[in-house]
Amino acid sequence: MKIYLKTEDEIELMRQANQLVGKTLGELARHIKPGVTTLQLDKVADEFIRDHGAVPTFKGFPNPYGGPFPASICTSVNDVVVHGVPNGQTVLKEGDIISIDCGTLLNGFNGDSCYTFCVGEVSDEVRQLLKTTRESLYLGIQQAVAGHHLGDISSAVQDHCEAQGYGIVRELTGHGIGREMHEDPQVPNYGRRGNGVMLKAGMCIAIEPMVTMGDRAVWLDQDRWSVRTRDGKPAAHFEHTIVVRRGQAEILSSFEEIAEEKLY
C-alpha cells in the first residue's frame, strides 16, 4: 500500500478540482426534473466541465468486467446504488431519486463528489434515507483527523445508518485520491474503531457512504457497470473529498452550489 501525503500546494490544486465538481453538481441541480433523461444530464456535465478547463475523469475509465465507462458522470436512479450509465431511455419521473457522481481532472489533480437528488416530491421514507446517509457522511468526516484510524471513519458511518435499520454496501468503498482518481487507502463504510491505517495530516480521501433502504445485498447489472440493490429498494450515495488535518478535517468538495430546492 502506497499512501501519498499531499503538500499544501497540491492540496490547493485538489481544492480547485473539487470546487469545480461542486459547481458542476450545482449546474446539474438546475436541470433535474421530471421528463429529463440521464443522457441529457451527462451532456450538461460534460460541457460544463470542459468549459472550465478540466476533463471529466469518469469518461473512458477502465472496467475489469467490460468496456470503458462511456459517459462523464454516473447517474444512479432509485435502486441503482452506484455507477449508473447515462442513457436516453432513462427518463426521470416525479418521486425518483438520482445519485450523481462526478469527477474532474484539473491541473493534474482529481476532484470527486456525489450527491443524491430528489426529483420533485419524494416520499417521507425516501427523504429519511437521504437525510441519514448525508448525516453519516459528516459523522465520518468528523473522525478524519490525524491520529485516528480508518476504522473510526468506517464505524461512524456504519453505526449511524444501521441504528436506523439501513444497509451498508460492503462491496464498494471510498478511496484515497490525488493525481489518480483511486489511490490507497480504501475507505470502507463499515468497520471497528481503532482498526486500520492510522490517519496522517496531508492524506486526501474520498468518503462516500452507500446506503440501502432494505437489505445491503447488491448485484451487477448486465451493462457491467450499474450496481443495484437485490431487493429493488432505493439506495442513497453522498461523497466528499477531504484532507486529513490535525484537529479537524478540511472538506475540499462542496454542496453549497446545489440549489436549495434540491435539498430534502
Side-chain angles (χ1 to χ4, degrees), residues 88-153:
Q89 290 73 50
T90 302
V91 181
L92 299 181
K93 63 182 185 299
E94 185 83 14
D96 283 345
I97 55 173
I98 177 171
S99 300
I100 298 185
D101 198 349
C102 179
T104 64
L105 179 64
L106 179 66
N107 297 321
F109 285 87
N110 285 277
D112 189 12
S113 182
C114 180
Y115 196 92
T116 302
F117 297 88
C118 300
V119 182
E121 291 297 320
V122 304
S123 69
D124 290 343
E125 188 181 27
V126 168
R127 197 173 293 272
Q128 185 61 37
L129 170 68
L130 269 57
K131 180 176 183 290
T132 301
T133 305
R134 191 167 187 251
E135 287 170 350
S136 76
L137 169 61
Y138 288 100
L139 289 171
I141 292 171
Q142 287 177 13
Q143 297 298 320
V145 295
H148 283 195
H149 292 259
L150 276 176
D152 298 334
I153 298 172

